[in-house]
Amino acid sequence: MSVVITGIGAVTPAGTGIDPLWDSARAGIPQVAAIDRFDASGYATSAAGQADFDAGAELPSRFVKRTDRFTHLSVHAVRQALADARVTVGEEVPAERTGVMVGNILGGWEFAERELRHLWTEGPRAVSPYQATAWFPAAPQGNICIEQGIKGPARTFVAERASGAYALIGGAEALLRDRADVVIAGGVEAPLSPYGWLCMETSGLGAKSRGSLGPHELYRPFDAGHGGSVFGEGAVFLVMERREHAERRGARILGELAGWGVSTDGYMPYYTVEPTGQVLGRAMRTATERAGIRGGDIGAVFAHGSGVPFEDVTEGYALHEAFGSATARQLPVTAPKSGFGHLLGAAAPADAALALRAMRDGVLPPTVNLDHRAPGIDLDLVAGQARPAAGCEHTLVVSRGLGGVNACLLLRR
Amino acid sequence: MDIRENVVAVMRGAGFESEELTEDRRLAEDLDIDSTELVEVVVALEQHFGVSIDADAEGGFRTFGDLVDCVRRLLSAGVTAVGS
């Protein structure tokens, strides 16, 4: 029994839909820019991947008013994903047999900040009663279910930057356990509010602005000048089904989620990661073995590529741990997210969507801003421009987060 | 002051269209107002008209006309709470 992907929806800094995201990534076009959503001049990082999405133009005004931007991005991306899969809940699939899995980290701070300001300046009666339901990380999940009339299993995964990968795994497991016939799984993040951005800054994971680099040059995975991530907002959702269900309804199959592996570092200090890469390597190996393949069968690795020096180096160690150094050195490794920003809860779903396109088109998008390899990175990095990969049948997507949360996905063409 | 037009203006601020606000439109069934949105509407009316509406009485609102009648009654009587 296998799990396949039959639809993709995306709202990202590259635009709306998977096509602009793929085109931008393949060409290595930087989408990161100076923040104009709010005054970020006092922040250490004043660059981000911002989505040009006008909720008021796409969604009913009363819905927009009572929900946060992360719900807006999610609901719109899910609409696209279902349309792409040619699924209408209640028609091609019963509402009770449709599920939703969402990865998110921060919650909806744009809404919450506005209402907290009302609380402190005008008192409790000035706070929107929707504060209670707008901010928390499960809000997109609930609103997606309401909007689409979904009545099956629904869950939200909060596992730091691995949240979106956990959501895809949760979707696959729900399908394999026959809890649903269709699952919409993905992730979302909308960190571009003054407080949300401050949280990202105090995490210590963000790249600090430097006078010598433009905003679009700050995010530098595996590069000698790496100094952390530049984050972005977005939502990416995949429609997943058991293969026989997809084939029975004549769906177009975009690829298969053939394996996955999770592990937790359990390492102190918890804000960093286990230094040898052994624990992350175990998640990589588990994902590969579950798919019934060997490390040498992997055609590409979509690395987590946070640009945090210690994480970049240990990600390389993990690939060597998982597959042996001789194999690890031969795997093409890329981190195209440096072009559009680390989308946090949506990062792994974005990588999975790009990996499916890369295998279909036989070309690997480059890691943007990788000019001079950092010391200690012994990998075959895809840099500069896209690389042909005609025979790429399997892609490993690596995702990890604070506290040593590791989640790896193995996608098959 | 045209109280009804002012109630309409307040509800337009909450995202409703003037055309859908007729006296017999039911709040839940026709206007899709849930209990949370009703709280929002009632607080907006309180702030706009400078009145106080007893939260316990809000469950008695069934139609848009009930909201207009409530505000009209409070303003004309000069009382500050419905049901008190």
Side-chain angles (χ1 to χ4, degrees):
Chain A
M1 194 154 42
S2 68
V3 173
V4 298
I5 292 104
T6 56
I8 301 173
V11 181
T12 72
T16 296
I18 183 64
D19 288 340
L21 181 63
W22 168 245
D23 293 343
S24 164
R26 185 183 52 193
I29 297 170
Q31 303 288 351
V32 167
I35 294 170
D36 59 18
R37 186 75 52 75
F38 61 96
D39 179 8
S41 57
Y43 291 73
T45 309
S46 56
Q50 301 181 108
D52 182 19
F53 177 73
D54 179 6
E58 303 288 350
L59 300 163
S61 63
R62 282 167 66 199
F63 179 80
V64 170
K65 178 175 60 75
R66 65 176 71 162
T67 47
D68 182 84
R69 184 167 176 83
F70 78 146
T71 292
H72 307 160
L73 298 172
S74 304
V75 166
H76 194 63
V78 165
R79 286 178 173 181
Q80 287 176 46
L82 287 168
D84 191 42
R86 295 181 178 83
V87 167
T88 301
V89 178
E91 293 182 12
E92 287 77 14
V93 59
E96 295 75 14
R97 297 288 296 170
T98 309
V100 174
M101 305 286 158
V102 182
N104 177 251
I105 301 173
L106 283 171
W109 275 104
E110 189 177 85
F111 191 106
E113 279 179 56
R114 187 177 63 235
E115 299 309 323
L116 285 171
R117 197 174 299 121
H118 289 157
L119 174 65
W120 303 131
T121 58
E122 299 170 49
R125 297 289 278 178
V127 176
S128 165
Y130 286 104
Q131 166 62 23
T133 53
W135 76 270
F136 69 122
Q141 168 203 314
N143 282 292
I144 290 164
C145 290
I146 292 167
E147 149 105 355
Q148 298 294 339
I150 291 167
K151 309 255 186 248
R155 238 168 270 157
T156 297
F157 296 81
V158 181
E160 225 269 314
R161 288 164 291 162
S163 301
Y166 265 91
L168 297 185
I169 294 167
E173 291 181 340
L175 290 166
L176 294 180
R177 289 176 183 155
D178 198 27
R179 305 281 196 263
D181 293 325
V182 168
V183 174
I184 303 138
V188 62
E189 209 69 54
L192 283 156
S193 67
Y195 182 79
W197 203 246
L198 188 64
C199 290
M200 298 323 300
E201 183 159 312
T202 54
S203 73
L205 301 169
K208 291 185 171 64
S209 299
R210 287 180 259 179
S212 57
L213 296 174
H216 63 287
E217 297 172 317
L218 277 177
Y219 190 5
R220 314 183 68 80
F222 305 117
D223 183 84
H226 53 178
S229 302
V230 174
F231 301 108
E233 61 177 349
V236 178
F237 282 86
L238 311 181
V239 175
M240 302 165 72
E241 309 173 53
R242 284 181 302 281
R243 180 177 289 275
E244 59 270 28
H245 185 271
E247 287 177 348
R248 198 180 316 127
R249 71 177 188 87
R252 179 198 43 166
I253 291 171
L254 303 173
E256 177 183 341
L257 178 54
W260 51 89
V262 297
S263 62
T264 309
D265 286 357
Y267 184 77
M268 277 295 281
Y270 68 90
Y271 50 79
T272 184
V273 293
E274 186 274 320
T276 69
Q278 287 180 7
V279 185
L280 174 59
R282 179 157 53 83
M284 294 173 172
R285 200 166 51 244
T286 302
T288 308
E289 289 172 356
R290 189 184 181 107
I293 63 166
R294 303 164 66 88
D297 298 325
I298 296 171
V301 177
F302 276 58
H304 185 69
S306 67
V308 176
F310 197 60
E311 294 189 352
D312 281 355
V313 171
T314 53
E315 190 166 4
Y317 292 168
L319 285 163
H320 283 251
E321 282 286 335
F323 306 119
S325 290
T327 299
R329 287 193 190 99
Q330 293 176 355
L331 299 177
V333 176
T334 187
K337 59 169 69 75
S338 54
F340 51 88
H342 193 306
L343 301 186
L344 299 158
D351 277 343
L354 289 173
L356 293 171
R357 278 297 177 96
M359 289 189 285
R360 186 195 76 175
D361 290 3
V363 58
L364 301 180
T367 307
V368 175
N369 298 323
L370 175 48
D371 299 326
H372 304 288
R373 170 192 307 259
I377 310 284
D378 186 13
L379 299 169
D380 177 14
L381 297 163
V382 182
Q385 58 188 13
R387 182 190 295 185
C392 182
E393 296 282 338
H394 297 93
T395 300
L396 178 71
V397 171
V398 183
S399 192
R400 64 201 310 211
L402 276 177
V405 193
N406 306 306
C408 295
L409 310 169
L410 199 292
L411 293 150
R412 178 176 286 143
R413 182 164 72 176
Chain B
M1 179 170 61
D2 184 327
I3 292 172
R4 184 187 181 285
E5 287 310 306
N6 273 270
V7 173
V8 168
V10 168
M11 293 194 63
R12 279 171 54 88
F16 295 86
E17 303 291 335
S18 302
E19 302 78 53
E20 62 184 340
L21 299 174
T22 57
E23 259 59 15
D24 56 350
R25 295 300 293 274
R26 294 168 298 176
L27 301 178
E29 296 88 341
D30 301 328
L31 296 173
D32 197 26
I33 295 177
D34 62 20
S35 58
T36 313
E37 194 166 31
L38 185 59
V39 171
E40 185 185 23
V41 167
V42 164
V43 171
L45 290 172
E46 287 184 332
Q47 290 174 339
H48 182 85
F49 290 104
V51 297
S52 178
I53 300 171
D54 185 346
D56 292 338
E58 291 168 15
F61 297 141
R62 290 194 46 79
T63 65
F64 172 73
D66 291 345
L67 288 176
V68 177
D69 289 345
C70 171
V71 172
R72 186 173 284 132
R73 197 164 57 245
L74 285 170
L75 290 175
S76 64
V79 295
T80 56
V82 169
S84 62

